[in-house]
């Protein structure tokens, strides 16, 4: 398993600025080559840290989540990482070593490590190693529901979780860190896997918003009416009901980190 992260750096002056980045009313594509040093942000409450903020709530587009790729230098991190007490988090480590404390529990996460952090949790992040710590961070405000408990935080690893193959195929499956029937959770952050030749054999269209960060491999991806070529480090951002499908290409698995909002009634007012 491999886990891609933004390349950083800066192309030299011979580079061609014409690229494949696109922002439409239905979807956006942020290729890996656009995620350079000059588009990073520094975050209040964090030290020796930079972040690529690749999705944020936008009125009339995708409104439920923010998604970051975060790099922390050795010794850096935060004792107050989350400024919104209503926010929950999903974290996937792609490189380095994370020392994560949730409440009184200490955890060490390395490549493939995954954490869900419940809203209102007291947590800290430190780079406990000698190499840069790199991780993906998804934030969403939790939506309580009557009679349903708030979910608990947990830590696991992509490597310890099975791939749930879709009915009738062993080429398209999902690593689910949360049971889809668990109504405590109003978001899922899954890893989707297509083996070579695998595909979504119809154009999905649904109420869930999506963030899709390509961790490994290549594919042709249908976004609304357009087929785009995507590869490691590319990010796709889909508003609700944007048609989508996928055909894996190449000779290695095509895998991406997928966000979607689930298990709640749509709001009837904005």
């Amino acid at each position: 398993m491999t886990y891609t992260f933004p390349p950083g750096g800066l192309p030299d002056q011979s580079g061609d600025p014409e690229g494949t980045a696109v922002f439409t009313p239905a979807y956006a594509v942020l290729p890996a080559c656009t995620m350079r040093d000059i588009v990073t942000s520094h975050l209040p409450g964090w030290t020796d840290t930079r972040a690529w903020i690749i999705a944020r709530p936008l009125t009339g587009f995708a409104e439920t989540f923010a998604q970051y790729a975060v790099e922390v230098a050795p010794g850096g991190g935060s004792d107050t990482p989350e400024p919104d007490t209503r926010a929950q988090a999903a974290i996937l480590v792609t490189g380095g070593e994370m020392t994560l404390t949730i409440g009184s529990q200490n955890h060490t996460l390395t490549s493939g490590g995954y954490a869900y952090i419940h809203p209102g949790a007291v947590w800290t992040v430190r780079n406990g190693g000698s190499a840069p710590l790199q991780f993906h961070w998804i934030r969403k405000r939790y939506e309580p529901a009557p009679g349903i408990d708030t979910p608990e935080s947990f830590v696991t690893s992509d490597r310890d979780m099975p791939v749930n193959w879709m009915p009738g195929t062993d080429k398209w499956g999902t690593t689910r860190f949360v049971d889809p029937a668990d109504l405590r959770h109003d978001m899922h952050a899954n890893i989707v896997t297509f083996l070579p030749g695998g595909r979504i054999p119809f154009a999905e269209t649904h109420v869930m918003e999506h963030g899709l960060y390509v961790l490994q491999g290549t594919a042709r991806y249908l976004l609304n009416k357009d087929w785009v070529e995507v590869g490691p480090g590319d990010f796709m951002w889909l508003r609700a009901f944007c048609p989508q499908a996928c055909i894996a290409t190449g000779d290695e698995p095509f895998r991406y980190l997928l966000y979607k909002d689930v298990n709640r009634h749509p709001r009837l007012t904005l």
Side-chain angles (χ1 to χ4, degrees):
M1 296 179 182
T2 59
Y3 304 93
T4 307
F5 193 78
L10 186 69
D12 63 34
Q13 291 293 292
S14 66
D16 184 351
E18 182 177 357
T20 56
V22 62
F23 194 99
T24 77
Y27 71 89
V29 178
L30 282 65
C33 64
T34 67
M35 300 181 199
R36 299 298 185 171
D37 291 353
I38 62 173
V39 298
T40 58
S41 296
H42 298 284
L43 302 173
W46 290 75
T47 60
D48 298 318
T49 298
R50 63 179 184 169
W52 287 266
I53 301 177
I54 54 179
R56 49 155 285 189
L58 289 179
T59 300
F61 191 71
E63 302 179 348
T64 62
F65 75 108
Q67 188 159 340
Y68 304 7
V70 182
E71 184 173 73
V72 184
S78 178
D79 293 330
T80 55
E82 176 53 71
D84 189 336
T85 59
R86 295 168 55 187
Q88 59 196 315
I91 286 173
L92 176 70
V93 175
T94 64
E97 180 180 298
M98 174 185 287
T99 301
L100 173 66
T101 300
I102 308 173
S104 61
Q105 299 295 312
N106 297 321
H107 308 275
T108 300
L109 281 68
T110 56
S111 181
Y114 178 90
Y116 170 78
I117 303 170
H118 72 261
V122 176
W123 56 290
T124 68
V125 172
R126 289 288 165 193
N127 180 348
S130 57
L133 165 64
Q134 298 173 332
F135 63 96
H136 297 287
W137 178 15
I138 297 171
R139 302 171 61 224
K140 179 185 183 295
R141 275 193 170 181
Y142 184 69
E143 298 181 47
I148 296 176
D149 293 335
T150 302
E152 299 174 352
S153 302
F154 65 87
V155 171
T156 184
S157 172
D158 174 31
R159 301 172 188 276
D160 296 334
M161 302 294 290
V163 177
N164 298 276
W165 300 106
M166 296 295 178
T169 181
D170 60 359
K171 291 183 178 294
W172 170 28
T174 303
T175 302
R176 300 184 178 122
F177 298 105
V178 170
D179 183 346
D182 186 345
L183 292 181
R184 296 177 303 165
H185 288 273
D186 68 348
M187 78 167 190
H188 291 163
N190 302 326
I191 295 177
V192 180
T193 298
F194 293 88
L195 298 184
R199 63 178 58 200
I200 300 175
F202 67 103
E204 296 184 26
T205 181
H206 48 64
V207 71
M208 287 84 80
E209 299 176 350
H210 276 341
L212 295 83
Y213 187 95
V214 180
L215 299 170
Q216 178 184 2
T218 60
R220 296 178 62 233
Y221 218 97
L222 175 66
L223 299 169
N224 199 15
K225 298 182 292 182
D226 307 318
W227 284 96
V228 299
E229 304 282 343
V230 293
D234 293 344
F235 180 69
M236 293 170 278
W237 186 9
L238 285 63
R239 70 180 301 175
F241 300 108
C242 176
Q244 61 171 297
C246 175
I247 301 175
T249 57
D251 56 3
E252 64 176 319
F254 175 64
R255 307 183 79 222
Y256 55 81
L257 177 64
L258 170 71
Y259 160 86
K260 60 181 177 181
D261 51 313
V262 296
N263 296 341
R264 293 295 185 268
H265 292 287
R267 293 191 303 271
L268 299 182
T269 57
L270 298 178

